[in-house]
Amino acid sequence: MHLARRERPWPEVSTAQLRRLLAAGSTLVLDARSPLEWAISHLPGARNVGPKPGVPMGEYVGDVREIARLTQGNPSVPLLIYCNGPHCRKTYRLAAELRDAGFTDVRCYHLGAPVWRALGGLMVVEKEGAAYILRNDRTACWVDASRAGCAFPFPNLPGVVRLPQGSVSDAKNDGRLPMEDHNTRVVVFGSTVSEARTVAQELGSHAFHNVTYFNGTARLLAQTLQAADPGTGFTACKAAVVIQPGIRPHSG
């Protein structure tokens, strides 16, 4: 799937090609968005750099000097850039900066994160992103994918549900998943990253397209969220009934 290539002088990759590049691990995948947006959700394995100094947010572009450090000054390292899709110019701006800096192997995934999600691609959330979601999105559904259940107390967040591998079909009928709003943000965590990734993939195959999995253990997530919101209490996880999300003032 390719869109018009106007103002796109760099090779463009398809979603299938991107999947192969991610699996091979031989290309440095760069998320051209801001560090916070990267932390909230990014392609697995994608790296991110800070902003170019002195550039307003509306013209955001990453700092090529930081990319040069990532590549150890090698301008021939294969690079793949993406951002928020065909109407977002962050990929174009960063590719232009890289060209001007002498990088010779730059490709772009202009379809971006939205199409990647829509076609079943997984997205990852980092600690900083999870803390942001806790403070700013009280409608989010937090999914515990641990096979053995909660081995430790977990923050009593709005929307926490237990959903181990293989239980998504049942959860669509027993109230654990937001069946009337598939745009709901879903954050999956587990005892291991592998557990979370597996359930996130399962959710994606059931048309939940705003799904991320946490890049760490459930214990690390609990510590992260407690630090982000010390007022959050600790209780046992809920087994089958979702706590209906409520809205409270942002305290951060």
Side-chain angles (χ1 to χ4, degrees):
M1 180 179 181
H2 292 282
L3 300 183
R5 298 172 187 267
R6 183 173 60 87
E7 294 185 333
R8 292 176 183 171
W10 301 276
E12 183 175 346
V13 303
S14 68
T15 302
Q17 290 170 325
L18 175 56
R19 291 183 190 278
R20 290 194 291 269
L21 290 171
L22 289 172
S26 57
T27 298
L28 177 58
V29 178
L30 295 170
D31 187 317
R33 304 173 300 167
S34 71
L36 177 58
E37 199 164 7
W38 170 84
I40 293 169
S41 65
H42 64 81
L43 271 65
R47 303 290 293 273
N48 181 260
V49 299
K52 180 179 180 179
V55 176
M57 196 62 182
E59 298 295 323
Y60 184 91
V61 64
D63 189 344
V64 172
R65 294 173 302 177
E66 291 192 28
I67 296 173
R69 285 193 285 270
L70 286 178
T71 61
Q72 298 181 332
N74 182 355
S76 64
V77 168
L79 303 176
L80 186 285
I81 314 170
Y82 75 92
C83 60
N84 282 323
H87 300 295
C88 176
R89 294 183 61 83
K90 294 184 180 71
T91 290
Y92 176 86
R93 287 194 290 266
L94 183 55
E97 293 268 335
L98 288 166
R99 176 198 59 196
D100 293 345
F103 285 86
T104 58
D105 190 354
V106 179
R107 287 174 286 178
C108 299
Y109 180 60
H110 286 291
L111 298 177
V115 175
W116 172 258
R117 284 182 183 274
L119 296 178
L122 294 176
M123 299 290 277
V124 180
V125 58
E126 303 289 340
K127 291 192 302 179
E128 298 84 357
Y132 175 90
I133 293 168
L134 172 67
R135 291 191 297 262
N136 293 280
D137 187 355
R138 292 298 176 169
T139 68
C141 179
W142 299 79
V143 170
D144 179 4
S146 305
R147 294 186 183 91
C150 278
F152 57 94
F154 194 81
N156 184 24
L157 300 173
V160 177
V161 299
R162 280 273 297 117
L163 198 67
Q165 181 180 352
S167 62
V168 171
S169 293
D170 289 339
K172 290 167 66 176
N173 294 312
D174 64 18
R176 278 178 286 173
L177 290 172
M179 293 303 297
E180 294 184 290
D181 186 1
H182 280 65
N183 294 312
T184 301
R185 189 196 308 269
V186 180
V187 182
V188 186
F189 60 92
S191 298
T192 65
V193 175
S194 178
E195 280 184 341
R197 182 172 55 246
T198 298
V199 172
Q201 184 74 68
E202 189 177 353
L203 285 162
S205 70
H206 284 264
F208 291 95
H209 60 83
N210 193 6
V211 179
T212 57
Y213 67 90
F214 181 63
N215 192 24
T217 65
R219 186 175 296 278
L220 177 61
L221 177 62
Q223 294 168 349
T224 298
L225 300 185
Q226 181 71 1
D229 186 354
T232 300
F234 279 69
T235 67
C237 290
K238 306 301 178 183
V241 180
V242 66
I243 308 171
Q244 292 300 319
I247 303 297
R248 74 179 192 184
H250 171 38
S251 59

